[in-house]
Amino acid sequence: MPRVPPQQQQSTNMEEIKKGAWSPEEDQKLKSYIIRYGIWNWSQMPKFAGLSRTGKSCRLRWMNYLRPDVKRGPFTMEEVEIVIKMYQELGNRWSAIAAKISGRTDNEIKNFFHTHLKKHLKLKNIDASMKSKVKRKRVEKTKKSEEINNAGKAQEKTLSFLAIGPTMTTDNNSMIGTSTNNSSSLMVSPCGSSSYNSIITFDESQRMNVDQPIIEMENTVILESNPEIHQSDSLSIESLDEFDTNSFWFHLLNDAHRFIL
DNA sequence: AACAAAGGCAACCGCCGTCGC
DNA sequence: GGCGACGGCGGTTGCCTTTGT
């Protein structure tokens, strides 16, 4: 790809650069230009396409919205599961996660995670990463991630989320819930029963011990601690707005329940 | 009906890696 | 090897919509 002399680039910068939301006309210009000429140089493209935008802005608009293969609309349960699973494996590498879901962009997945999943699951390490102002070098992240994988410690990362949610009743008359005195257990029991017949516990060394039956790690739905609900051992679905039967949260608990039984 | 608060999401910003000169 | 341009990525912002009072 030929490099452009600095003075030539400055000429574009002298023009008024538009920011903010894209108009339908701008979308049309960019789309038609790319369809006709393809993507050859983002920084030069706006000038030739007749757009007063930066190359970055054009690239973002195309990648996240105008590309023909971009999928719109709500996430399916399958997609949600992939996002969660991949997040547990890869962390906040949204582009890598997006690569696993056809038609979804990294931006969309990131937004979805921060709005829906973060809200419901309250993953501890998300909060930590949000609060942290320290910029980690990508090399270090990759290195760390490789180390984790190589050492077989991917499970440790998964387990660190803790598996806690409120008790709820599922549609096949069993109850899935959490211990009020053990913040790292996920339990399933017949509805109304005071004893749990399946308990997953996480011990201090982050190993997983499972009372019968054996549960594969990748089948385990990992949820986060929700302290305000701990005092109640048997909240019903009706008492919690977020537990409508169409919510992904409900489905996740159902999935966990199904895997365990 | 009007206003405020919260939620959702498109788009921007700044940093970083890669590549050509 | 150093420099600068470019593309890509994750974090953040701010506007618009929805929901609650």
Side-chain angles (χ1 to χ4, degrees), chain A residues 66-71 102-104:
Chain A
L66 297 175
R67 256 191 317 160
D69 57 329
V70 169
K71 196 159 137 191
S102 159
R104 298 293 184 184

Side-chain angles (χ1 to χ4, degrees), chain A residues 9 18 20 26 29 85 105 115 124 136-137 149 152 163 186 192 202 242-243:
Chain A
Q9 289 170 13
K18 195 182 168 193
E26 287 178 308
K29 277 184 184 177
K85 187 166 180 260
T105 68
T115 54
K124 277 189 174 178
R136 290 157 297 176
K137 289 183 178 175
N149 287 335
L186 176 65
F202 306 130
E242 63 267 32
F243 280 90

Side-chain angles (χ1 to χ4, degrees), chain A residues 168-170 172-176 189-194:
Chain A
M168 65 172 282
T169 305
T170 61
N172 47 1
N173 283 335
S174 291
M175 189 167 74
I176 182 166
S189 75
C191 193
S193 167
S194 57

Side-chain angles (χ1 to χ4, degrees), chain A residues 143-161:
Chain A
K143 213 173 172 182
K144 208 170 185 178
S145 156
E146 279 170 5
E147 282 170 6
I148 287 169
N149 287 335
N150 292 341
K153 289 180 179 175
Q155 289 187 356
E156 183 179 331
K157 192 177 181 184
T158 305
L159 293 174
S160 69
F161 293 145

Side-chain angles (χ1 to χ4, degrees), chain A residues 71-237:
Chain A
K71 196 159 137 191
R72 318 297 307 172
F75 277 59
T76 64
M77 277 309 298
E78 266 181 41
E79 289 171 330
V80 172
E81 284 171 10
I82 293 171
V83 170
I84 292 171
K85 187 166 180 260
M86 294 313 295
Y87 181 84
Q88 290 171 347
E89 285 179 21
L90 302 169
N92 56 353
R93 293 170 61 196
W94 305 117
S95 58
I97 296 172
K100 303 284 180 185
I101 306 174
S102 159
R104 298 293 184 184
T105 68
D106 54 349
N107 205 38
E108 199 176 8
I109 291 171
K110 182 172 58 184
N111 282 335
F112 177 76
F113 193 89
H114 285 151
T115 54
H116 298 90
L117 297 183
K118 189 187 167 192
K119 182 180 73 179
H120 287 278
L121 302 183
K122 294 175 183 168
L123 298 179
K124 277 189 174 178
N125 65 339
I126 290 290
D127 290 338
S129 71
M130 289 293 115
K131 284 170 187 169
S132 172
K133 296 294 178 189
V134 179
K135 302 281 182 187
R136 290 157 297 176
K137 289 183 178 175
R138 220 164 276 167
V139 176
E140 287 172 353
K141 277 201 290 186
T142 312
K143 213 173 172 182
K144 208 170 185 178
S145 156
E146 279 170 5
E147 282 170 6
I148 287 169
N149 287 335
N150 292 341
K153 289 180 179 175
Q155 289 187 356
E156 183 179 331
K157 192 177 181 184
T158 305
L159 293 174
S160 69
F161 293 145
L162 300 183
I164 290 294
T167 303
M168 65 172 282
T169 305
T170 61
D171 54 6
N172 47 1
N173 283 335
S174 291
M175 189 167 74
I176 182 166
T178 61
S179 164
T180 52
N181 53 9
N182 181 346
S183 64
S184 52
S185 301
L186 176 65
M187 303 175 176
V188 175
S189 75
C191 193
S193 167
S194 57
S195 60
Y196 294 94
N197 54 2
S198 294
I199 303 174
I200 311 169
T201 59
F202 306 130
D203 64 20
E204 288 184 5
S205 63
Q206 301 279 19
R207 281 194 312 108
M208 187 170 139
N209 299 317
V210 183
D211 290 356
Q212 56 180 337
I214 301 300
I215 299 164
E216 294 298 325
M217 194 58 208
E218 57 266 28
N219 287 344
T220 308
V221 175
I222 304 300
L223 306 170
E224 215 255 332
S225 170
N226 202 346
E228 65 267 29
I229 304 176
H230 279 178
Q231 63 269 24
S232 172
D233 223 352
S234 57
L235 293 171
S236 66
I237 298 170

